[in-house]
Amino acid sequence: EVPAGWERAAAAVDRDLPPGSRALVLPGQVFPVYRWGGTQDAILPALADRPVAVRGVVPYADLRAVDLLWSTDALVQQRRTLPGQLAPLIDLMGAGAVVAARDDDRDRSGAVAAGVAAEQLRVGAGLGPAETDAVAGRRFGAVRVFPWRGAGMVRVRPVWGPVVVDGSAATVAALAGLGALEGDRALLH
Protein backbone atom coordinates (compact mmCIF):
# COMPACT_ATOMS: atom_id res chain seq x y z
CA GLU A 1 0.00 0.00 0.00
CA VAL A 2 1.05 3.58 -0.62
CA PRO A 3 2.11 5.14 2.70
CA ALA A 4 -0.14 7.84 4.13
CA GLY A 5 2.77 10.32 3.93
CA TRP A 6 2.70 10.21 0.14
CA GLU A 7 -1.09 10.63 0.11
CA ARG A 8 -0.81 13.65 2.43
CA ALA A 9 2.06 15.14 0.42
CA ALA A 10 0.04 14.81 -2.80
CA ALA A 11 -2.95 16.46 -1.10
CA ALA A 12 -0.68 19.31 0.03
CA VAL A 13 0.66 19.73 -3.51
CA ASP A 14 -2.88 19.82 -4.91
CA ARG A 15 -4.03 22.30 -2.26
CA ASP A 16 -0.99 24.60 -1.89
CA LEU A 17 0.74 24.67 -5.28
CA PRO A 18 0.49 28.18 -6.76
CA PRO A 19 -1.60 28.45 -9.95
CA GLY A 20 0.41 27.94 -13.13
CA SER A 21 3.21 26.03 -11.43
CA ARG A 22 4.24 22.42 -10.94
CA ALA A 23 5.76 20.27 -8.24
CA LEU A 24 9.34 19.18 -8.90
CA VAL A 25 10.63 15.93 -7.38
CA LEU A 26 14.36 16.01 -6.57
CA PRO A 27 16.10 13.66 -6.72
CA GLY A 28 14.26 11.51 -9.21
CA GLN A 29 14.53 7.75 -9.55
CA VAL A 30 15.50 5.90 -12.70
CA PHE A 31 13.54 2.90 -11.44
CA PRO A 32 10.84 3.90 -8.91
CA VAL A 33 11.33 1.31 -6.20
CA TYR A 34 10.51 2.29 -2.66
CA ARG A 35 11.11 0.42 0.59
CA TRP A 36 7.36 -0.19 0.66
CA GLY A 37 7.10 -1.44 -2.95
CA GLY A 38 7.93 -0.95 -6.63
CA THR A 39 5.59 1.20 -8.73
CA GLN A 40 7.22 1.20 -12.21
CA ASP A 41 6.57 4.97 -12.34
CA ALA A 42 7.18 7.69 -9.77
CA ILE A 43 4.34 7.76 -7.24
CA LEU A 44 3.64 11.51 -6.91
CA PRO A 45 2.35 12.10 -10.47
CA ALA A 46 -0.13 9.25 -9.95
CA LEU A 47 -1.41 10.68 -6.65
CA ALA A 48 -1.48 14.41 -7.39
CA ASP A 49 -3.91 16.17 -9.71
CA ARG A 50 -1.51 19.08 -10.25
CA PRO A 51 1.46 18.89 -12.69
CA VAL A 52 4.55 17.07 -11.40
CA ALA A 53 7.99 16.95 -13.00
CA VAL A 54 10.21 14.01 -12.04
CA ARG A 55 13.11 12.28 -13.74
CA GLY A 56 12.42 8.79 -15.01
CA VAL A 57 13.54 6.44 -17.75
CA VAL A 58 10.87 7.42 -20.27
CA PRO A 59 10.77 11.12 -21.24
CA TYR A 60 7.18 12.41 -21.29
CA ALA A 61 7.88 15.98 -22.48
CA ASP A 62 9.70 18.00 -25.10
CA LEU A 63 13.28 16.71 -25.20
CA ARG A 64 14.72 20.15 -24.36
CA ALA A 65 12.60 20.22 -21.19
CA VAL A 66 13.64 16.66 -20.36
CA ASP A 67 17.28 17.63 -20.90
CA LEU A 68 16.93 20.49 -18.39
CA LEU A 69 15.20 18.26 -15.82
CA TRP A 70 17.77 15.47 -16.19
CA SER A 71 20.69 17.94 -16.09
CA THR A 72 19.33 19.50 -12.90
CA ASP A 73 18.67 16.11 -11.33
CA ALA A 74 22.20 15.00 -12.28
CA LEU A 75 23.66 17.89 -10.27
CA VAL A 76 21.94 16.48 -7.18
CA GLN A 77 22.56 12.80 -7.96
CA GLN A 78 26.25 13.31 -8.76
CA ARG A 79 26.95 15.71 -5.86
CA ARG A 80 27.97 18.53 -8.20
CA THR A 81 25.65 21.29 -6.97
CA LEU A 82 27.26 24.67 -6.45
CA PRO A 83 25.94 27.18 -3.91
CA GLY A 84 22.77 28.75 -5.30
CA GLN A 85 22.92 26.80 -8.58
CA LEU A 86 19.62 24.91 -8.22
CA ALA A 87 17.48 27.97 -7.44
CA PRO A 88 17.44 29.51 -10.95
CA LEU A 89 17.00 26.05 -12.52
CA ILE A 90 14.02 25.32 -10.28
CA ASP A 91 12.61 28.71 -11.27
CA LEU A 92 13.21 28.00 -14.95
CA MET A 93 11.24 24.75 -14.69
CA GLY A 94 8.24 26.59 -13.26
CA ALA A 95 8.21 24.86 -9.88
CA GLY A 96 5.93 26.04 -7.10
CA ALA A 97 7.15 23.29 -4.76
CA VAL A 98 10.10 20.91 -4.49
CA VAL A 99 9.35 17.43 -3.17
CA ALA A 100 12.05 15.21 -1.65
CA ALA A 101 11.61 11.76 -0.13
CA ARG A 102 13.65 9.41 2.03
CA ASP A 103 11.89 6.10 1.36
CA ASP A 104 13.37 4.75 -1.85
CA ASP A 105 15.19 1.44 -2.11
CA ARG A 106 18.57 2.81 -3.17
CA ASP A 107 19.89 -0.54 -4.36
CA ARG A 108 17.14 -0.81 -6.97
CA SER A 109 15.95 2.77 -7.59
CA GLY A 110 19.14 4.34 -8.93
CA ALA A 111 18.74 7.36 -6.64
CA VAL A 112 21.41 8.97 -4.51
CA ALA A 113 21.26 8.54 -0.72
CA ALA A 114 18.64 10.76 0.93
CA GLY A 115 21.20 12.51 3.14
CA VAL A 116 23.32 13.41 0.12
CA ALA A 117 20.27 14.71 -1.73
CA ALA A 118 19.24 16.79 1.29
CA GLU A 119 22.69 18.38 1.45
CA GLN A 120 22.62 19.15 -2.29
CA LEU A 121 19.17 20.77 -1.97
CA ARG A 122 20.40 22.85 0.97
CA VAL A 123 23.52 24.03 -0.86
CA GLY A 124 21.95 24.51 -4.27
CA ALA A 125 18.57 25.97 -3.35
CA GLY A 126 18.52 26.78 0.37
CA LEU A 127 16.05 23.99 1.17
CA GLY A 128 16.46 22.15 4.43
CA PRO A 129 15.47 21.60 8.03
CA ALA A 130 13.99 24.45 10.05
CA GLU A 131 16.99 24.64 12.40
CA THR A 132 19.19 25.97 9.57
CA ASP A 133 18.85 29.20 7.62
CA ALA A 134 17.24 27.17 4.82
CA VAL A 135 13.57 27.09 3.80
CA ALA A 136 11.84 24.44 5.90
CA GLY A 137 9.44 22.14 4.15
CA ARG A 138 6.38 20.40 5.51
CA ARG A 139 7.15 16.81 6.49
CA PHE A 140 4.72 14.03 5.64
CA GLY A 141 6.38 10.90 6.98
CA ALA A 142 9.34 10.20 4.68
CA VAL A 143 8.25 12.92 2.22
CA ARG A 144 9.05 16.62 2.52
CA VAL A 145 7.34 19.33 0.46
CA PHE A 146 9.23 22.61 0.20
CA PRO A 147 7.29 25.66 -0.98
CA TRP A 148 9.03 27.53 -3.81
CA ARG A 149 8.66 31.14 -4.84
CA GLY A 150 8.87 30.44 -8.59
CA ALA A 151 7.22 32.59 -11.22
CA GLY A 152 5.30 29.67 -12.73
CA MET A 153 5.51 27.76 -15.98
CA VAL A 154 4.59 30.68 -18.26
CA ARG A 155 6.41 33.99 -18.02
CA VAL A 156 6.90 37.10 -20.12
CA ARG A 157 10.50 38.25 -20.49
CA PRO A 158 11.87 41.29 -22.34
CA VAL A 159 13.42 40.56 -25.74
CA TRP A 160 16.36 42.89 -25.21
CA GLY A 161 19.54 41.54 -23.62
CA PRO A 162 18.75 37.82 -23.71
CA VAL A 163 21.05 35.04 -22.55
CA VAL A 164 21.86 33.00 -25.66
CA VAL A 165 22.78 29.35 -25.11
CA ASP A 166 24.26 27.09 -27.78
CA GLY A 167 24.48 23.58 -26.43
CA SER A 168 22.59 21.23 -24.18
CA ALA A 169 20.86 21.95 -20.90
CA ALA A 170 24.14 21.16 -19.14
CA THR A 171 25.25 24.56 -20.46
CA VAL A 172 22.19 26.17 -18.87
CA ALA A 173 23.03 24.42 -15.58
CA ALA A 174 26.62 25.67 -15.81
CA LEU A 175 25.39 29.23 -16.38
CA ALA A 176 23.20 28.86 -13.27
CA GLY A 177 26.30 27.84 -11.32
CA LEU A 178 28.01 31.05 -12.47
CA GLY A 179 25.02 33.22 -11.53
CA ALA A 180 24.33 34.08 -15.17
CA LEU A 181 20.62 33.16 -15.06
CA GLU A 182 19.69 35.64 -12.34
CA GLY A 183 17.41 38.52 -13.19
CA ASP A 184 14.67 38.99 -15.71
CA ARG A 185 16.52 38.13 -18.93
CA ALA A 186 15.06 35.88 -21.62
CA LEU A 187 16.84 32.60 -22.28
CA LEU A 188 17.23 31.72 -25.96
CA HIS A 189 18.29 28.11 -26.37
Side-chain angles (χ1 to χ4, degrees), residues 62-75 80 85-86 88-89 92-93 163 165-177 181 187-189:
D62 178 272
L63 291 181
R64 290 166 293 209
V66 170
D67 190 23
L68 181 60
L69 175 59
W70 288 3
S71 294
T72 302
D73 191 77
L75 293 172
R80 296 185 291 120
Q85 184 177 22
L86 293 177
L89 297 172
L92 192 58
M93 287 186 275
V163 175
V165 175
D166 181 22
S168 70
T171 304
V172 176
L175 288 171
L181 295 184
L187 178 65
L188 304 179
H189 188 219

Side-chain angles (χ1 to χ4, degrees), residues 3-10 13 34 36 43-44 98-103 137-146:
W6 276 106
E7 298 277 355
R8 292 193 324 268
V13 164
Y34 304 89
W36 47 268
I43 193 66
L44 188 59
V98 176
V99 179
R102 305 180 72 86
D103 64 346
R138 294 182 58 201
R139 187 178 295 276
F140 302 98
V143 185
R144 184 170 270 178
V145 179
F146 298 97

Side-chain angles (χ1 to χ4, degrees), residues 55-122:
R55 180 193 74 159
V57 172
V58 179
Y60 289 108
D62 178 272
L63 291 181
R64 290 166 293 209
V66 170
D67 190 23
L68 181 60
L69 175 59
W70 288 3
S71 294
T72 302
D73 191 77
L75 293 172
V76 175
Q77 299 275 358
Q78 297 169 6
R79 305 174 189 186
R80 296 185 291 120
T81 305
L82 298 173
Q85 184 177 22
L86 293 177
L89 297 172
I90 293 168
D91 285 343
L92 192 58
M93 287 186 275
V98 176
V99 179
R102 305 180 72 86
D103 64 346
D104 67 301
D105 180 345
R106 285 190 50 231
D107 293 333
R108 299 189 303 169
S109 72
V112 69
V116 171
E119 177 62 14
Q120 295 298 298
L121 291 174
R122 187 192 64 72

